[in-house]
Amino acid sequence: MLSNYQGFERNKWSAPDTMRKLWLLFAGCASISVFLMYLGTKLISPFRGQNAYESKAVPSEITLAESEKPQVLELKISSLEEQCVGTASCREVLGQEPVNMERLELLRNVCEDASLKNVTYSGISRFVLDRIFVSDKYKILFCQTPKVGNTQWKKVLIVLNGAFSSIKKIPESLVHDHEKNHLPRLSSYRKPEVKKRLNSYFKFLIVRDPFDRLISAFKDKFLQNPRFEPWYKHEIAPAIIQRYRKNHTEVRGLQFEDFVRYLGDPNHRWLDVQFGDHIIHWATYVELCAPCEIKYDVIGHHETLRNDAPYILKKAGVDHLISYPPIPPGITEYNRTKVKQYFLGLSKRDIRRLYTRFQGDFKLFGYSKPSFLLV
C-alpha cells in the first residue's frame, strides 16, 4: 500500500511540474525571439537603401547625406585652413569656401521648395549620366554644361586620366571625340558602380547666367559654327523655322526670335526628341545635371571662374598636378548690354515663356530674374 501511495504522489505532482517547466521554456524562447528580432532590425536597416537606385534611380544615401551638409562643409574648411597656412594663393582659394557653402545652401533650399519642383526636379536618367565625365584615378565626376567653358575642363580631366602629359599637347579635334578622348561617361558603368561613384567621388559642375548662355549657344551653333557642325544649320535650324517663324515668307536663316519661341514653347520636347543629344547646348542645368538629386560638392560660376577654377582643383586634391588654362580678360563677365540687345524687339510673352522654362536654373544657382527684359 505504501509503495502504491508513493507512486500516486509522484504522479500527482509530475503533470503540474511538467507544465511549469514548459511555460518557463516557452517564455525563454519568446524572450530570445524578441531579442533576435530587435538585433535583426539594427543589422538590416542600414542596408534598406540598397534597392533605392533601382526604384528611384538615385541612392538613398545621397538624401541622408544632405541633412549633414553644414557639418561636412565645416570640416572641409578646417582641412583647407591647415593646408593653406602661410600661402597667399592658397588663402585666396580658401576665400571661395564660404561662397561655395552659400551656393550649396541656396541649392538645397530651392530644391526643398515644393512649389518649384516642376522646374527643379530631374531624375538621374541615362541622359544625365551621359553628361557626367569620370576620372577614376582621382575620383572626380564632372557634369558637362555646354557653353560654360566645358572644353577646358574636359582637357583638365584628359590630362588627369593620363592620356596626355599637358593640356597644350591635346589636339582640339580630340577633345570632343568621345570615342578617343579617354573620358568615360558615367553611363558606361553598371548601376552599382554608378551608385558607388555618385556616393563617394568629388562632384562639380559650372553654371552661367541662363539667358547669357542661350545667346552663346545661338551664336556658336547657328551663326559662327567654328567646329563645322553642318547639321545645326541644315537640319535643326530649318525645323525650328518651319515650326516657330511667324512670317514664313522670310528667307533669312534662323533668328534669335525663332530660337526663343522654340525654347519657351511648353511643347518643345517633340522637337527635342528629333534633335537628339544636340539639345545639350540649350537644355537647362536641371535637365543636364539633376542638381536636386545628385549632391554636388562644388558649384562653379562662369562669371567667377578665375576664382572658382583653382578652388575646384584644390578641393579635388589635384591642384599640385594641373592648373586650369589661362582665362582671357573679360571673357567670363556677364554682359547685360549684350543680353538686352539680343532680346530687344522680342515680345514680352515670348520672353516670359522662356523665363518660365529656365526659372529653375535662375533660382537654383542664384541668378537674378531678368526683370529689365520682362517689364
Side-chain angles (χ1 to χ4, degrees):
M1 284 292 290
L2 183 60
S3 62
N4 290 337
Y5 178 78
Q6 289 174 339
F8 171 78
E9 287 296 310
R10 282 195 300 269
N11 293 334
K12 177 183 175 182
W13 292 104
S14 62
D17 193 52
T18 300
M19 287 300 296
R20 184 173 64 85
K21 291 178 180 179
L22 287 174
W23 275 109
L24 289 173
L25 180 61
F26 175 79
C29 290
S31 300
I32 293 172
S33 297
V34 171
F35 174 75
L36 289 175
M37 289 173 64
Y38 171 79
L39 183 61
T41 60
K42 293 298 182 181
L43 292 173
I44 294 171
S45 58
F47 298 96
R48 286 179 177 166
Q50 294 299 313
N51 291 328
Y53 185 86
E54 301 291 338
S55 61
K56 192 183 175 186
V58 59
S60 60
E61 290 82 358
I62 289 180
T63 303
L64 293 174
E66 198 71 24
S67 63
E68 300 171 358
K69 186 183 297 180
Q71 179 181 357
V72 172
L73 289 173
E74 288 175 8
L75 291 174
K76 289 181 178 178
I77 288 180
S78 301
S79 176
L80 280 178
E81 285 177 343
E82 293 172 1
Q83 297 176 39
C84 290
V85 173
T87 309
S89 60
C90 196
R91 285 196 294 272
E92 292 178 4
V93 172
L94 178 61
Q96 287 301 108
E97 185 75 4
V99 174
N100 185 55
M101 288 178 64
E102 185 176 342
R103 290 171 180 172
L104 292 176
E105 183 69 17
L106 171 65
L107 177 72
R108 183 175 64 181
N109 290 337
V110 176
C111 287
E112 292 175 352
D113 188 337
S115 67
L116 294 173
K117 189 172 182 178
N118 63 319
V119 292
T120 60
Y121 172 80
S122 176
I124 305 180
S125 62
R126 174 63 184 258
F127 181 78
V128 171
L129 297 179
D130 276 344
R131 309 280 76 79
I132 300 177
F133 296 103
V134 183
S135 172
D136 279 324
K137 185 175 182 179
Y138 294 102
K139 297 186 177 181
I140 297 172
L141 299 181
F142 165 58
C143 186
Q144 175 191 24
T145 50
K147 314 319 306 169
V148 191
N150 282 259
T151 298
Q152 303 304 328
W153 284 110
K154 283 185 178 180
K155 291 178 180 179
V156 168
L157 290 179
I158 289 171
V159 171
L160 289 175
N161 283 351
F164 291 87
S165 59
S166 71
I167 287 177
K168 293 181 179 179
K169 294 182 179 180
I170 303 174
E172 289 295 326
S173 60
L174 182 134
V175 178
H176 301 290
D177 186 341
H178 299 299
E179 299 296 325
K180 301 178 181 178
N181 65 7
H182 300 275
L183 279 181
R185 300 172 189 253
L186 194 54
S187 58
S188 66
Y189 296 83
R190 298 177 62 128
K191 285 186 177 180
E193 293 300 310
V194 169
K195 178 179 175 181
K196 170 186 172 184
R197 284 162 176 77
L198 285 174
N199 277 331
S200 59
Y201 280 22
F202 173 81
K203 299 171 288 294
F204 76 100
L205 76 158
I206 312 294
V207 296
R208 177 183 188 175
D209 176 89
F211 281 5
D212 196 21
R213 172 175 171 255
L214 293 181
I215 292 171
S216 178
F218 176 77
K219 289 170 58 179
D220 184 62
K221 299 305 174 187
F222 299 106
L223 299 184
Q224 301 165 352
N225 202 347
R227 296 214 304 269
F228 188 66
E229 298 163 313
W231 47 86
Y232 288 102
K233 181 178 180 181
H234 299 302
E235 297 176 22
I236 294 178
I240 295 175
I241 291 171
Q242 182 180 5
R243 173 73 177 175
Y244 295 101
R245 180 161 294 178
K246 290 183 177 180
N247 184 0
H248 287 282
T249 62
E250 289 186 16
V251 294
R252 297 183 299 168
L254 185 71
Q255 301 298 299
F256 189 64
E257 182 180 15
D258 307 321
F259 189 54
V260 166
R261 286 202 194 100
Y262 152 55
L263 294 177
D265 183 0
N267 299 312
H268 63 87
R269 293 190 184 279
W270 75 273
L271 267 188
D272 289 351
V273 172
Q274 179 181 331
F275 298 156
D277 278 359
H278 298 309
I279 67 168
I280 65 173
H281 299 282
W282 50 81
T284 67
Y285 301 132
V286 172
E287 295 163 337
L288 293 168
C289 298
C292 286
E293 293 298 299
I294 297 174
K295 182 191 169 189
Y296 289 94
D297 298 284
V298 175
I299 300 170
H301 281 222
H302 188 255
E303 297 81 1
T304 56
L305 193 58
R306 196 177 298 276
N307 295 325
D308 290 342
Y311 171 73
I312 290 169
L313 295 176
K314 185 71 177 176
K315 293 282 283 187
V318 295
D319 57 306
H320 62 294
L321 299 173
I322 194 168
S323 298
Y324 189 82
I327 302 172
I331 196 171
T332 64
E333 293 178 5
Y334 172 72
N335 189 332
R336 174 175 168 149
T337 303
K338 177 188 71 176
V339 173
K340 197 169 184 178
Q341 182 180 358
Y342 262 85
F343 281 87
L344 185 66
L346 272 63
S347 74
K348 299 303 179 186
R349 172 182 175 272
D350 289 341
I351 298 175
R352 282 194 292 269
R353 289 178 69 169
L354 183 69
Y355 175 74
T356 298
R357 162 97 189 268
F358 288 84
Q359 182 183 10
D361 287 357
F362 277 96
K363 290 186 174 295
L364 285 167
F365 302 107
Y367 287 102
S368 300
K369 181 178 180 179
S371 300
F372 65 96
L373 300 175
L374 300 169
V375 294

